[in-house]
Amino acid sequence: MIRLLLSSAFADCVEQCCAVLLEGGVVTVPTDTVYGLICAADAPAAARRIARIKGRPDEKPFALFVASWERLCREAITPSETAERLARRYWPGGLTLVVGAEASCPSAQNGTVGARCPDTAFLQAVLARCGGVLINTSLNRSGEPPVCSLEECDAILAETDLVIDGEALPPSVASTVVHCGKIPYQILREGAISAQAIAEALGD
């Protein structure tokens, strides 16, 4: 496992992260909410490895990181007016949108997929060089709290191929998750963006 400090080697971090992802590896990264694990969208073996690292069932899907709403629409999803309005208001940022998806869409399950556009220059640079779509999840064992600092995470970090150290992240919460296939919508988890803000963005 290699560990790089993002603040002192931004370009090198982007280059090495992309190299590991394109080889089917797993990378620990700082996000705009909490630390996460990412792999290439077309690397099912890496996704299964992340599931084992987290101690969660292989069949439980992960969300996607996407470069933009337009990039997400290039996948096999069912765009919705609700999802597009929220994406244009809150992406990049702490909002995960659950939309209809065909089985061919990365990480889709039971006809849906969750996606988020992260608000960091590092992840945007990685997405730009890796096709605009990545599989992601939070860096923590299943059932444990999300991680905002890499201290005392040596055991789980050792199971990944590369660690991008963004140092201690500002206090934050996980993203808000909105199911846009429901009528009119359903908030599955309230997090970084309040339910009131979601309602106001949709004119409710």
Side-chain angles (χ1 to χ4, degrees), residues 50-153:
I50 290 177
R52 289 193 295 272
I53 290 171
K54 288 180 66 73
R56 61 186 284 180
D58 286 350
E59 64 272 14
K60 186 175 181 180
F62 295 117
L64 301 177
F65 271 154
V66 294
S68 64
W69 170 252
E70 288 78 10
R71 178 62 187 85
L72 177 60
C73 289
R74 288 165 51 192
E75 298 298 327
I77 69 158
T78 305
S80 77
E81 181 181 353
T82 297
E84 182 172 3
R85 287 173 65 183
L86 290 175
R88 297 200 183 284
R89 174 66 179 84
Y90 292 114
W91 278 8
L95 176 65
T96 297
L97 300 173
V98 179
V99 297
E102 298 177 14
S104 58
C105 180
S107 208
Q109 188 176 74
N110 298 324
T112 64
V113 69
R116 185 167 87 83
C117 180
D119 190 15
T120 75
F122 170 72
L123 285 172
Q124 285 293 327
V126 171
L127 282 162
R129 294 183 56 176
C130 292
V133 180
L134 297 168
I135 287 173
N136 92 94
T137 186
S138 57
L139 174 71
N140 55 275
R141 304 288 187 188
S142 185
E144 295 181 358
V147 174
C148 290
S149 172
L150 296 181
E151 295 180 8
E152 301 180 5
C153 291

Side-chain angles (χ1 to χ4, degrees), residues 120-202:
T120 75
F122 170 72
L123 285 172
Q124 285 293 327
V126 171
L127 282 162
R129 294 183 56 176
C130 292
V133 180
L134 297 168
I135 287 173
N136 92 94
T137 186
S138 57
L139 174 71
N140 55 275
R141 304 288 187 188
S142 185
E144 295 181 358
V147 174
C148 290
S149 172
L150 296 181
E151 295 180 8
E152 301 180 5
C153 291
D154 290 347
I156 192 169
L157 296 180
E159 299 182 61
T160 67
D161 301 303
L162 174 66
V163 175
I164 303 299
D165 187 348
E167 302 173 279
L169 303 180
S172 185
V173 294
S175 66
T176 293
V177 182
V178 180
H179 194 313
C180 298
K182 304 292 183 179
I183 303 298
Y185 63 89
Q186 181 181 5
I187 296 178
L188 303 181
R189 180 182 71 197
E190 187 171 4
I193 298 170
S194 70
Q196 180 179 349
I198 296 294
E200 290 174 352
L202 296 174

